[in-house]
Each structure stands twice: as structure tokens, then as C-alpha cells.
Amino acid sequence: MTASLAFVSLTYAQLNTLAVGLGKRYFGTATDNSELSDSPYVAQLENTADFHQLTPDATEPARGVFTFSGGDAIVTQAQRNGQLAIDRSLVSVEILNDDGTFRQSVFFTTTGTSYIATALRAARAADPSAKLYINDFNIEGMGAKSTAMVNLVRSLKAQGVPIDGIGVQAHLIVGEVPSTLQANLAQFAALGVEVAITELDVRMTLPATSALLAQQQRDYQTVVAACRAVSGCIGITLWDWTDKYSWVPGAFPGQGEACPWDAKTLEIVEDEYAEELKVTFYPQLYLQRRIWILDVMRAEKVTKVLDIGCGEGQLLAVLCQPAPWLPPPSAHILPPLPGENTDSAEKTHWLPQYHDEIPDIHPVQVMGLDISSDDLDFAVQGTAPPPSEVDFEKGGSQYSASFSSVNPRWEDLEVKIWQGGLEVINETFVDVECIVSSEVVEHLPPNLFPAFAPVILGVYHPRLFLVTTPSYTFNARFTAPMAPPSARKGCPDPTKRTDRIFRHSDHKFEWTVDEFQDWCDITARDWGYEVKVSSVGRPTEMDQWGRDAELGGASSVAVFRRRDMDGREQKGREAVLALQLDTRPHELLVLHRHLAHPDSGNPRSLEEIGLKIMEKMEEFREGVMRVEELWFERDVAILCGGWIEILIRAVEQSDHFNLKRNGEGIRDRKADWTVELIGGVAQPKEYWSKEEDTSMDTIPFDWISGGEAESSEGEGGSTDMDGDVSQNQSEGEDDLEDSVPWSDRSHRDKVEEDSALFKPSWGSEIGWAEDERSDVYNSGEISAGWDGDESEDTN
């Protein structure tokens, strides 16, 4: 253990990062297969900030016995992490004696020195891209052996023999690093070949003392400085990085402590990272999934939706909220003004279109399916029309707006809630426009999973299918790279098919990013769809090991889009029939009808609308009002028949108003459009009764002095959306998902309080904030409101 690294966290050594910054190709370490079962060790081995290169152990551990499986395993591990793999045994190794003569070997005694050229030529023929080195020990300083190496390489190059580099093993002793090390490396590099320190360690006679450790630190620094000074020295490889697995004690009795970190380092790491890391999301993860779903539906102008595994109906309840206005009217409703271009290429140019950057969703049919009666009770209640809404089909004489006393409903909506299993075919769902299945597939038991794709994509064959599922790849984010396995407090795979730790006890599997991509590709191919895969759910905390981009989001998501395919539905029915599953039909629990306002689509004259706007502004004594403030005056919106574009046209056509679309230095946001009453109001609003009055004069008579402002935080802390949390706990509380097990569930583990529905901005580029890590549908400004479902307690 070197004094310089004795107390350096594995996270912050950054050996490879520093080496590459100085122009070197890598800093690496050797390893052996027996060490790969040590999780903290492997985590550091895979830390590319320290090690960008791995060297396997021998492929011929005993004479005449060759084994490549161990080396292949390490090469595979290196490739998986984007690390280099250098095999020291496939080139000429240790061919010289210390006096510069050739070592006696079966090759030398049989063929003389020609075997060296033969081996190098054979290696080049086998793999033209491989780097061919001669690797030897005791050639660190100038002397007879290093001179013999120079002469050998010079001779090989003269013969046209392929030789790319010289490997200097550098098994050194504390205090005995050759003073000519740098000069020797330079003379090797002058031959026109690469030079590498290939097996560096610095051993000492035990017990270690502070003086020996201090000298060892200087010795490591000397070697690094020598390689740094010689441009032809491309990198350094440690002969393992921890004394726990050093070869020295076995080869040199009484000696050891040769590696940069001592054996206790891993014990310290296990103690330091024995708990899960804090991982939170804002907005909460289930909201981020919902936002993604709604964004896709907005972009695709979806009007008919089926939510399979709808649970308590949170998504359905959001979809039941009325849009604030109708889609833009056609030309026969709102004709173009004289001189406006109505060519098809610019067919929307002449419309005073409003909020085109944030499309609304205009569903006409919403359906939900689940097996839990307890959950569906909430879904039935959450999607019902409000008690004050009168069913006109039953002869009601009054109308009250859905969900709001301000904004009427402009479009009819039908809601159906069904109870039953997804493996059962429901003819009502055939050819539905869009199916959503969020955090459901991972709950399916092995006998039901095979029905998932045939039923949804085969029999029902929606135009769009949106699916989300937990990303097992992301689960690494809950623990440090070098944490022991016991740090993860999740739920072991209940099927015992893997040794994975899942987020929920009912999960039958959790797919890695690659596994999910493979399933999506195969499923899309088999059922005639194209698919785009991405992820949502980025933690608010930055990962100190830089794994955020690699691990992606907490939920994998995919959009399946239907292509032409013959016989798809019949293929699905046959596949489901072959599974011989339960065929008990679904039960329709409720049919809700949300009725549009009777004046929807029946606007009054522009003159009448203009007079009403002027009347409102005079009533409020406001010379300037935002368009939306006027729109949410109920009687104004009703006169417009639900089209905000007609309100805008009425303002433009009237001599009483100026429509201000934007101001100097202000971004053109339609939500900021204002209406100015020309000439102002007759009696402007007075905020103080008279000039000498103060704010004290406006205090209500029943106000009580000494009261404190009501806090949004209770005794338990903030009631804001703190996000899904995994802090020193597993996800047994299902805090990373809002779905519930599809199989064998009678109630939810946690009742999710529905919070504000975010309606993000929608533009030509769709991304999650400024992050470009998603290539499907993600929202932009998360804070853009939409008067959605709002709950104070969203934890």
C-alpha cells in the first residue's frame, strides 16, 4: 500500500482520467477470474476513471495445458465496460536471461532465435489488428539485458518482422527503482516501437513501516514520472490494484504490500457503502411516466384510449377532465378574412389559432381494465361526472360544467370501466385507437405473460401501444459501484430464475435496457409494428460515479406504431386459444357519459361576443386583460361556442379593442396575449379608497391580529412533490411506481395521491427539459400548468 493512496477514496483517484489527460492511452490493472466474485473488487475494476485497461492471467498455467475461457471472461468484461484488454501471453514473453543471453527453452534449443520471428509473424497473420509486444522483466534500467532487448528489436525490424512494442514488466522492490529507468524507456521508444509498463508493483519486506510506505510512494511516483516524460510510453498496468489479491506473498515469502491499495481498502469500502443511496425524482416518477404518456397522446391526437392495468384510474381521471377549448374551427365556422391566404399548404395560417404550441387532448372514449375490485372502486368514482352535472338525455333543464364551475365541457366523453384479466379477449377493445399499459407487464406470472402481446397487439391491434416497465439497469443507481450485495434492500426474484434484486415483491422480472429493447424489437416484428424505445425518470441527485448517462431512466418506455400486416388479428386469437387460459368474460362495472355543453359548437355573432368582452372589462374596470382571463369568464366562453379562436376573431374585428400578441423583449407566448380596451374604462379600479388612505383601511373587519400564515408544511415536513425516494430502504413500498401487481392483488400497497397534471410545452424538438437522452416523446417545461388534478399531499 502506498502512502499516497492509503486514504484516497477509490472514487477520487482518477488514475486513468489523469493519464489520458497527459496524452497516455490508458492506466490499467491485471486481474484474475477467481477475483471476479468479489463485488466491491469488481466494482472498482470496472471504474473506468481509474482503469481503462484489463490484463487477464495466463492462458497456459501449466506447460502444455492451454485454457482460454478465463481470459475470454475478462476480455468480455472489459468490452462490456468499454475497457481495453491486453493479453500478455500471445506474444514473445521473457526470452532473455539477465546477462543478455537467450533463455534456454524448448523453442530456443530446437530452432535457435528464429522462433521469435516465427511467433510474431504467426500472430500477425492470425490477427492483423493485434499489437505485438515482447514483454520481459528486469529490463527497467540500462544494463546487459536491456541492451540485448534493444539489439533484438532492432534486428527484428531489419528483417521485416512485425513488432509493435516492448513491455517492461516492472516488478520492483522498494528503494531499488533503477535511476536509468526514464533513459531506458526512451532508448526503447527510439527504436520506433511503443513502450508500456505492463506489470507494475513495488514490494517490500514485511512488516510495513511508515518509512517503507513513504519510499514506496516515491517509487511509484518515479515510475509514473518516467512514463510521463517519454512520449512513446503509452500506459501503465498495475499487477493488480489491491494487496488482497497480490501475487507477491506467494512468490516471495516474507514480502508483500506491493499494490497501491492495501487489503483493508475493500473492507472500508464495504462499511462506507453498506447502505442504499438516496435517489429522488421531481416530479415524482409516476408523474413523469404519466407526462410521457400524455405527451405522446397529444402529439398523436389520440381520442380513444384503453388503459390496461388502470388500477385506481389516475390516468383515466386526468383524461376525463375537459379541455379548456375545442380544437380550431373549420373554415365554414370561422371564414378567413378578406385577403388572407387559404391555400392548403398554409391552411392554418389564416386561423387565429391559439395554443398551437401546447396541444390539448380531446378524448371521446376512455376505457379502463383491471382485476382488482378495490382499485376499480376508486376508478369508478374518479371518472364519474360531478354530481351537479345533469344528464340532458334524462330531461334536465340546467347545465353545470364538468369538474369546474368555471370551464364548461365542450365535448361528449364516454367512460367504461371493466373488471377482468388481460388474457381474456374483450371484443369492445378490438381496433381501439390507443392502448396504454404502464408498469403492468413485470407483474405478469409466467402463464399469463405469453398472452400479453398476442391479445394487445394481435387481437386488439391498436394504432398506438404505449408501454412502461421498470429498468433493471437503473437499479444499480441505488447503490455505490463498490457496495457489497447486502447494500441493496429490494426484493429477491420471487421466481428464482435469477439472482436479481427487484423493486417490488410482486415483480416477476425486471428487464435491463438491452433486454427491453430486444423484447420490443422481437414483439414489433412478430405483430407488425414499428417501435421506438427510450426511458423516463432521472434522479434529482447527480451520481458521483458519473453513471447517469449509462444507467438511463428509472422506467423504460416504448411507443409501438401499427404497420400493415395481413392476418394479425386471427394470429393473435389462435395464439391466445393455444394457451388454454381462463376465459371468464370481463364485467362492465360502469358506463359514464360526460355531456358537452348544449352551446358547444354553436357560437354567437362576433359583435355580440365583442360587446360581452367590453362589458366584462368595464365590470372589472380593467383596461387590459389577458385572453385567457377573458376566456375563463364562463359566459364569454359559452358565447364563443367553445372556440377560443372565435374570441380572438371577435377582438380583432371590433373597433373597441387592440389584440397584443407580444411585447418588446417578451417571448411570444400565446398565454401572454392581451386585449386592450381602446380608450380605457370609464371608472378605473381604485385600490385605495382615497389618496390619504393606507392598506390598513382595507383590512377586513373580522381579521384577528397575531395569527400566523398557514404553512404548506405539516408536522411531517413538506407536502410538495418530493418525488419517489429510495433512501436506505428497498422499493418494497413500491415508491418508484404507481402500478400494482396484476396477479393476486386485493389492494394497493400505497394509495397514490394524484397531484397537479403538468402540461409541458410542446415544440418541434421533444425532450425532457434540456436533456437529449430520450429520442421518443418527452416534455419540455415541466412547470407549465394546465389547471389539472391537484392534490396538496403528493408524497
Side-chain angles (χ1 to χ4, degrees), residues 68-69 84 136 199 250-251 275 289 393 395 475 574-575 644 666 752:
F68 295 94
S69 59
L84 302 173
D136 216 330
E199 304 179 20
E275 301 294 338
R289 288 192 296 263
E393 293 183 355
N475 289 0
E574 291 173 355
I644 196 170
I666 301 176
E752 275 186 339

Side-chain angles (χ1 to χ4, degrees), residues 48 52 77-84:
T48 55
H52 186 56
Q77 175 153 328
Q79 291 173 338
R80 184 174 63 247
N81 292 314
Q83 296 167 302
L84 302 173

Side-chain angles (χ1 to χ4, degrees), residues 67-348:
T67 174
F68 295 94
S69 59
D72 288 345
I74 293 173
V75 170
T76 299
Q77 175 153 328
Q79 291 173 338
R80 184 174 63 247
N81 292 314
Q83 296 167 302
L84 302 173
I86 298 178
D87 192 336
R88 70 185 184 116
S89 60
L90 294 182
V91 293
S92 298
V93 178
E94 301 174 358
I95 59 178
L96 296 172
N97 292 315
D98 286 348
D99 61 3
T101 61
F102 285 93
R103 296 179 69 179
Q104 298 297 308
S105 67
V106 63
F107 302 109
F108 180 76
T109 57
T110 303
T111 67
T113 61
S114 63
Y115 79 91
I116 301 172
T118 300
L120 291 168
R121 288 191 174 106
R124 177 54 48 86
D127 186 355
S129 64
K131 291 285 188 178
L132 304 182
Y133 273 59
I134 296 178
N135 187 56
D136 216 330
F137 64 94
N138 285 351
I139 58 170
E140 294 77 24
M142 289 185 170
K145 190 170 184 177
S146 62
T147 299
M149 180 64 73
V150 170
N151 293 334
L152 173 60
V153 172
R154 185 179 288 126
S155 173
L156 292 170
K157 290 179 68 69
Q159 299 172 54
V161 177
I163 175 69
D164 298 308
I166 298 173
V168 179
Q169 292 184 11
H171 293 295
L172 303 173
I173 300 173
V174 167
E176 299 182 17
V177 177
S179 60
T180 56
L181 173 61
Q182 180 177 323
N184 193 44
L185 298 180
Q187 76 166 345
F188 288 160
L191 296 170
V193 296
E194 297 174 350
V195 181
I197 307 295
T198 59
E199 304 179 20
L200 176 61
D201 53 24
V202 185
R203 66 184 183 270
M204 67 182 68
T205 300
L206 301 176
T209 65
S210 58
L212 287 171
L213 293 174
Q215 181 60 51
Q216 185 188 52
Q217 173 184 344
R218 292 189 290 270
D219 291 341
Y220 269 104
Q221 291 171 343
T222 297
V223 175
V224 171
C227 182
R228 175 179 177 179
V230 177
S231 59
C233 183
I234 65 168
I236 296 175
T237 300
L238 302 174
W239 206 236
D240 224 320
W241 61 272
T242 171
D243 292 328
K244 182 175 181 178
Y245 297 115
S246 173
W247 73 301
V248 169
F252 301 95
Q255 298 189 48
E257 299 283 348
C259 299
W261 285 276
D262 65 19
K264 294 181 180 179
T265 301
L266 294 177
E267 298 176 8
I268 295 172
V269 167
E270 289 189 4
D271 292 339
E272 182 178 357
Y273 298 107
E275 301 294 338
E276 286 189 332
L277 303 175
K278 181 179 181 180
V279 179
T280 60
F281 301 88
Y282 186 85
Q284 290 171 283
L285 181 55
Y286 79 93
L287 278 178
Q288 293 192 36
R289 288 192 296 263
R290 188 184 304 166
I291 289 167
W292 173 80
I293 291 168
L294 294 173
D295 278 351
V296 177
M297 294 175 62
R298 290 187 184 103
E300 298 288 342
K301 297 180 171 57
V302 170
T303 60
K304 297 182 178 181
V305 186
L306 166 63
D307 186 0
I308 290 183
C310 65
E312 298 173 354
Q314 286 90 351
L315 175 62
L316 303 180
V318 170
L319 293 172
C320 286
Q321 296 185 65
W325 40 72
L326 290 168
S330 60
H332 80 276
I333 297 292
L334 190 63
L337 294 174
E340 288 186 313
N341 188 350
T342 60
D343 293 342
S344 59
E346 301 183 19
K347 60 184 178 181
T348 61

Side-chain angles (χ1 to χ4, degrees), residues 349-385:
H349 172 75
W350 53 271
L351 283 174
Q353 201 168 14
Y354 190 82
H355 262 197
D356 52 338
E357 76 272 19
I358 308 180
D360 293 301
I361 301 174
H362 299 274
V364 298
Q365 184 182 60
V366 171
M367 297 183 288
L369 172 68
D370 206 281
I371 63 171
S372 170
S373 58
D374 291 337
D375 287 352
L376 290 173
D377 286 343
F378 288 98
V380 168
Q381 297 173 30
T383 58

